[in-house]
Amino acid sequence: GLESYRLEKLAELKEDSKKVGLIIGGIALVLLIITLITKMWLILILVAIAGIVFLIRRSSKKKKILIGIKNGLIKKLVTTANESFNYEPERFIPKDLFKKSKIIRSFNTYSGEDFFSGTINNIPIQFSEITVQVKNDKRTTTVFKGPFFVVQFPQTFAGETTVVHDYLEKNLGGLGRALQKMNLSRLQNNLIKIDNKVFEEYFAVYTKNEPEARKILSDNLCSLLISEREKHGKVYFSFNNNNFYFGIDNRRDIFHVNVDSHISENSLRKHYDEFVDYINLILTIYSMIEENMQSLDFSTNNIPQKDNTPPPKEDDYNKVKF
């Protein structure tokens, strides 16, 4: 099993580290003695480099063990919940696709891990953890870290709408709202006000199609976004072309696996429940958008019917709803 694999690989790593450490340590000791005798301090630098190489090598081997565990652990849990889903621990949502969401218009570095993709109820869904950073005056600031979802919709949205974290109006009141309207990165979009006091406190909404934005951002969807904001921290939502995007800036590793920790039933259930919760949240948002789109003057002939096929066999887990 995975626990046997983890213990076996850690034992191999420990033995390998011991051998390499003894070799490097012996060489380092000899070089250190030579340095003290000859006062050739360049040799001391070589000792430091050897130590760094040892640590990098050990870290690389440990990462390979982690990927092996994730491929066995999380992939099995994901396919238990839904056989169509694929999991790739070292991939993440492509940067170009994230840019299309327009939730963060300017950034310097983009990275991620734990990429999930598949189709549930005829709905193509993909998500991963991503980290987005901005560099200013030699200072790096993380502006987003958490799960980011891309969901394909069967219809094309008439405009584009972005719901982002509101920090200006909350802190500066009317002046903040004036500055929001002047947001240079969103000049082509109109800032609109939603008739929900809590929603307005948390979010700023920019759109190119106000009627569509107001229909889709219904009371139920606004309430859901408020709930997720209060539960997780900052959340982002947008839709354009035929995709909608949802991000939770919760600043944590969403599917954390510790190579040095025992793989228990509780850890398995935690990862399983988290995956299921994310999928059910996205399907809820999808159904709300679908319902609100049907109230607009759009054809709904190509909206997929919900698949009533029972979910895949769940072993001992019974939380799947989709």
Side-chain angles (χ1 to χ4, degrees):
L2 283 173
E3 180 62 9
S4 300
Y5 170 85
R6 184 185 72 86
L7 293 173
E8 179 186 343
K9 292 300 179 183
L10 281 180
E12 290 177 4
L13 176 62
K14 185 177 181 180
E15 191 64 28
D16 178 78
S17 298
K18 188 186 295 183
K19 290 178 182 178
V20 175
L22 286 173
I23 294 171
I24 292 180
I27 295 172
L29 181 60
V30 172
L31 291 176
L32 182 59
I33 293 171
I34 294 173
T35 300
L36 293 174
I37 295 172
T38 64
K39 298 188 183 300
M40 293 178 62
W41 299 108
L42 178 61
I43 298 176
L44 196 59
I45 296 174
L46 294 176
V47 173
I49 292 173
I52 292 170
V53 169
F54 170 76
L55 292 175
I56 292 174
R57 182 176 182 275
R58 189 174 188 278
S59 176
S60 176
K61 283 182 170 292
K62 207 166 185 178
K63 185 176 180 181
K64 287 181 180 179
I65 298 173
L66 174 64
I67 296 302
I69 292 174
K70 279 192 167 186
N71 266 321
L73 171 66
I74 299 180
K75 184 173 286 188
K76 180 182 178 182
L77 294 176
V78 167
T79 54
T80 296
N82 189 282
E83 293 177 348
S84 77
F85 253 71
N86 187 37
Y87 170 68
E88 299 170 81
E90 296 185 274
R91 282 192 62 204
F92 48 91
I93 295 289
K95 181 164 68 173
D96 289 345
L97 195 52
F98 175 76
K99 284 183 175 180
K100 289 179 180 179
S101 73
K102 302 185 179 180
I103 65 169
I104 296 173
R105 302 301 292 264
S106 178
F107 54 88
N108 300 102
T109 61
Y110 179 87
S111 59
E113 62 179 354
D114 292 329
F115 179 75
F116 299 82
S117 60
T119 301
I120 298 177
N121 298 346
N122 299 322
I123 304 168
I125 300 171
Q126 52 184 311
F127 71 99
S128 75
E129 177 189 324
I130 62 168
T131 300
V132 184
Q133 296 178 316
V134 174
K135 293 181 180 178
N136 290 314
D137 299 325
K138 297 181 181 180
R139 179 183 176 185
T140 300
T141 303
T142 298
V143 293
F144 184 96
K145 177 178 172 59
F148 182 75
F149 305 81
V150 181
V151 185
Q152 187 176 324
F153 207 74
Q155 298 167 222
T156 299
F157 295 102
E160 63 178 46
T161 298
T162 310
V163 180
V164 296
H165 174 64
D166 182 353
Y167 59 92
L168 286 175
E169 186 171 1
K170 182 177 180 180
N171 295 317
L172 300 176
L175 174 60
R177 186 163 184 83
L179 291 173
Q180 284 176 340
K181 289 182 178 179
M182 296 167 58
N183 189 331
L184 297 179
S185 67
R186 304 184 189 276
L187 281 177
Q188 296 179 331
N189 294 34
N190 295 321
L191 175 68
I192 64 171
K193 192 167 185 175
I194 301 297
D195 189 21
N196 182 312
K197 186 178 180 180
V198 179
F199 186 88
E200 275 294 305
E201 180 183 344
Y202 290 156
F203 303 104
V205 180
Y206 296 89
T207 186
K208 286 186 177 180
N209 189 313
E210 185 171 342
E212 180 186 59
R214 292 191 179 280
K215 276 289 187 180
I216 291 177
L217 290 171
S218 59
D219 290 341
N220 59 355
L221 184 50
C222 285
S223 295
L224 178 63
L225 293 177
I226 290 170
S227 174
E228 293 303 310
R229 158 67 173 77
E230 292 176 342
K231 190 187 303 179
H232 298 292
K234 300 175 186 174
V235 299
Y236 297 83
F237 171 67
S238 70
F239 50 88
N240 58 62
N241 295 317
N242 66 331
N243 286 334
F244 76 82
Y245 308 86
F246 183 73
I248 302 174
D249 184 13
N250 56 15
R251 305 298 170 109
R252 69 182 186 84
D253 187 343
I254 60 173
F255 289 97
H256 178 67
V257 174
N258 188 346
V259 173
D260 298 310
S261 296
H262 173 69
I263 298 174
S264 65
E265 176 68 20
N266 285 338
S267 64
L268 293 175
R269 182 174 292 279
K270 178 183 175 183
H271 290 308
Y272 179 85
D273 288 350
E274 189 162 22
F275 172 79
V276 170
D277 286 344
Y278 282 142
I279 295 301
N280 282 322
L281 171 62
I282 290 306
L283 292 180
T284 298
I285 294 174
Y286 182 98
S287 66
M288 289 180 178
I289 295 174
E290 182 182 62
E291 181 181 347
N292 296 336
M293 287 281 278
Q294 287 176 348
S295 69
L296 296 170
D297 292 328
F298 295 117
S299 170
T300 58
N301 293 333
N302 57 347
I303 292 179
Q305 298 300 310
K306 289 290 185 292
D307 184 0
N308 294 319
T309 303
K313 186 178 179 181
E314 302 163 16
D315 294 334
D316 295 327
Y317 303 108
N318 300 306
K319 197 175 180 181
V320 175
K321 298 179 184 176
F322 43 82

